[in-house]
Amino acid sequence: MNHATGFADPVGEAVADALGDMLFGASAEISYTRSGSPAPPVEERPGTAAATGPGPEGWQTTVIVRLAERAARLIRPGTPSSLGELLDVLPAAALRTMAQIEATAAGGPGAPPALRRAVRDTLATEVLTSYVAARLGAPASGQLMAETVEYFLELSGTRVEAHALTHGVVVADVLHHPPRIVLRYPEDLRPVKRAPLLFDGRRAVLVVDRDGCARTELQRHRLGRLGGEPALTPPTEGWPDSGSLVAEATRVLGGVGFYLRADRSIWTFVDGQPLVVRRGEHWTAFPLELAASISNMIGGGRAAALVARAAFTISAEPYGAILAIVDDSSSIDDVVSLKDRYDLRDDIDPTALRPETRLHHLLDAQELDEHTLARLATLDGATVIDRDGHLLAYGAIVTTADSDHEGARTAAARTLSHDAIVVLKVSVDGDITVFRSGALVTTLLGHPAHALAK
């Protein structure tokens, strides 16, 4: 019940919950004032965005979204950032969502589950609609974004020829000549079972223009063929299910990308980076400023971006990992066994080398990249690097105290964070949990209680 108006608004309640889901740790406030009255004042501070629009008959609605204090510090006035852009988009997207859903709301005291799912999916659609308009300079035609989201939801519950589906699409404005044949997306592809298999997002993505016409495929090894900026580095073949091809296609072509993973989650991308992710019927913003946040924690250095990219890559695979950043190698002298120390491989008497240590001499990890880091981090144990991105240890077993109240990987990450500057734990379900000084800082892509059980 909204005390200012005296009526229950289940749609408003569901939208507020969906906003909290999308930006972990953010708070959403929805208030109502008589039509024509001044909107509630909103404090002008970083990490706050608001919008006002028509509400229930005779009322206007104001949506205010506030980031948690730690996240708000990442937004600097006058400095563009991906987190700031998403925050600015959300209140107006929430108002459009309420306008679309309001007529379907029951008059009871709360929103039924089906309504809450519809709200979450509609809010994500409105957010993506805003991003398409911003990237392409004009809105997509008709209901392209809503229909694309709906199609991906259908595919997420479908199997073709006993295979779990993957599918990749980029909505971009790169082909300016008229199409030779008009195929509407997704309408004309929906009856063709092989369509998602052809454009699987792993080896090829489908390019759709803003008018909703499916134009051509873009293959992994031909990213530059449509005249866009050449790929900086080809998407790795070793981690195809991360969505790296769709991500890189949005960096090269612009626009917005969609990727259905084999685990039935739906990932969206802009500017080469993940934007919002649907997992378990909830849409969550990928930690857009994770690298910046880690950089603040460690005081700069190459390791922040390296670890953030590796964590994203690993989150797409059912492995899990522990990634730690330390101030210097001496920080782990009493924590990590000598046999797991890659940085000390040349300091050990060759005649006394254990089998594990011999393997260190075969690795090409002197110039560490995120793909090598991700590959090593999925081994059992922790992977440790210094703030400059040098590999110190991998497969390191961390001895912990009693961990009956939490998972073994969580306990190891928490213990290691007493000696490291920051530790990221990636669960087998893709949640990314950040630890510092033995305390949980935040959980990304999931809910804390869910993540800590892994």
Side-chain angles (χ1 to χ4, degrees):
M1 178 75 69
N2 186 282
H3 297 291
T5 62
F7 59 79
D9 185 7
V11 174
E13 295 171 3
V15 167
D17 289 343
L19 289 167
D21 276 349
M22 188 164 286
L23 272 182
F24 185 80
S27 62
E29 176 185 325
I30 299 179
S31 59
Y32 307 85
T33 52
R34 292 286 185 184
S35 297
S37 301
V42 180
E43 68 274 26
E44 294 186 6
R45 67 176 183 86
T48 299
T52 299
E57 185 176 356
W59 300 86
Q60 62 184 1
T61 305
T62 297
V63 178
I64 304 173
V65 182
R66 297 183 179 89
L67 294 178
E69 181 179 355
R70 189 181 298 273
R73 295 174 191 162
L74 300 175
I75 296 181
R76 297 176 174 83
T79 303
S81 72
S82 50
L83 179 60
E85 182 181 10
L86 178 59
L87 177 65
D88 289 342
V89 163
L90 279 176
L95 288 174
R96 296 195 300 270
T97 298
M98 294 175 70
Q100 290 186 53
I101 300 290
E102 193 72 50
T104 67
L115 175 60
R116 291 187 176 274
R117 287 193 296 272
V119 164
R120 291 191 291 264
D121 292 336
T122 303
L123 177 63
T125 299
E126 291 301 324
V127 167
L128 294 166
T129 297
S130 296
Y131 272 82
V132 165
R135 296 305 184 277
L136 304 188
S141 64
Q143 296 295 309
L144 174 60
M145 301 310 290
E147 292 170 357
T148 299
V149 170
E150 181 183 357
Y151 183 49
F152 270 73
L153 292 175
E154 290 177 12
L155 292 179
S156 69
T158 304
R159 295 177 68 88
V160 173
E161 298 171 3
H163 295 288
L165 283 180
T166 64
H167 184 44
V169 170
V170 175
V171 179
D173 194 14
V174 292
L175 295 172
H176 303 293
H177 55 82
R180 187 169 61 87
I181 181 172
V182 175
L183 286 172
R184 309 299 302 181
Y185 185 85
E187 178 182 350
D188 291 337
L189 273 69
R190 190 176 261 117
V192 186
K193 291 195 303 181
R194 69 178 62 177
L197 300 177
L198 286 171
F199 315 115
D200 62 2
R202 298 158 59 97
R203 293 161 293 189
V205 299
L206 179 65
V207 179
V208 175
D209 65 26
R210 68 182 178 192
D211 293 324
C213 292
R215 300 300 298 269
T216 185
E217 71 170 353
L218 188 60
Q219 297 179 37
R220 176 177 290 274
H221 60 289
R222 297 178 176 173
L223 275 177
R225 81 170 181 87
L226 296 183
E229 179 185 352
L232 295 176
T233 55
T236 175
E237 291 288 350
W239 300 90
D241 205 35
S242 67
S244 60
L245 175 58
V246 181
E248 188 63 12
T250 64
R251 194 195 66 76
V252 173
L253 304 181
V256 172
F258 294 80
Y259 180 56
L260 171 65
R261 279 187 0 187
D263 65 3
R264 302 188 179 186
S265 61
I266 300 169
W267 290 64
T268 64
F269 299 87
V270 293
D271 306 329
Q273 301 293 330
L275 178 59
V276 290
V277 182
R278 189 184 195 269
R279 300 168 66 226
E281 298 185 350
H282 292 259
W283 288 89
T284 305
F286 190 81
L288 300 166
E289 304 298 325
L290 178 59
S293 179
I294 295 173
S295 183
N296 287 343
M297 292 180 191
I298 69 175
R302 178 172 175 265
L306 191 62
V307 165
R309 292 194 299 266
F312 158 61
T313 298
I314 297 167
S315 73
E317 303 291 334
Y319 296 130
I322 297 174
L323 293 154
I325 302 174
V326 299
D327 192 30
D328 59 65
S329 60
S330 63
S331 302
I332 56 173
D333 284 349
D334 298 326
V335 181
V336 175
S337 170
L338 187 62
K339 70 177 178 63
D340 298 325
R341 293 288 295 270
Y342 176 81
D343 61 321
L344 300 180
R345 65 195 182 284
D346 294 327
D347 298 338
I348 304 173
D349 180 359
T351 62
L353 290 180
R354 298 180 59 172
E356 295 92 337
T357 311
R358 293 176 186 271
L359 290 178
H360 299 335
H361 293 270
L362 302 179
L363 293 181
D364 180 14
Q366 287 86 343
E367 296 182 8
L368 195 62
D369 58 58
E370 69 261 33
H371 306 309
T372 302
L373 179 59
R375 178 169 60 89
L376 297 175
T378 55
L379 300 174
D380 285 341
T383 301
V384 185
I385 67 175
D386 64 19
R387 67 170 75 242
D388 294 320
H390 298 130
L391 179 64
L392 304 181
Y394 65 92
I397 303 303
V398 179
T399 302
T400 62
D402 178 30
S403 61
D404 288 342
H405 64 291
E406 59 187 357
R409 184 176 286 118
T410 298
R414 189 188 300 277
T415 298
L416 185 56
S417 71
H418 287 287
D419 298 282
I421 310 173
V422 64
V423 176
L424 274 66
K425 185 211 76 173
V426 185
S427 79
V428 294
D429 290 330
D431 301 323
I432 302 172
T433 308
V434 183
F435 291 93
R436 193 177 189 191
S437 301
L440 185 153
V441 175
T442 189
T443 299
L444 309 162
L445 294 181
H447 303 287
H450 177 254
L452 287 176
K454 304 296 185 296

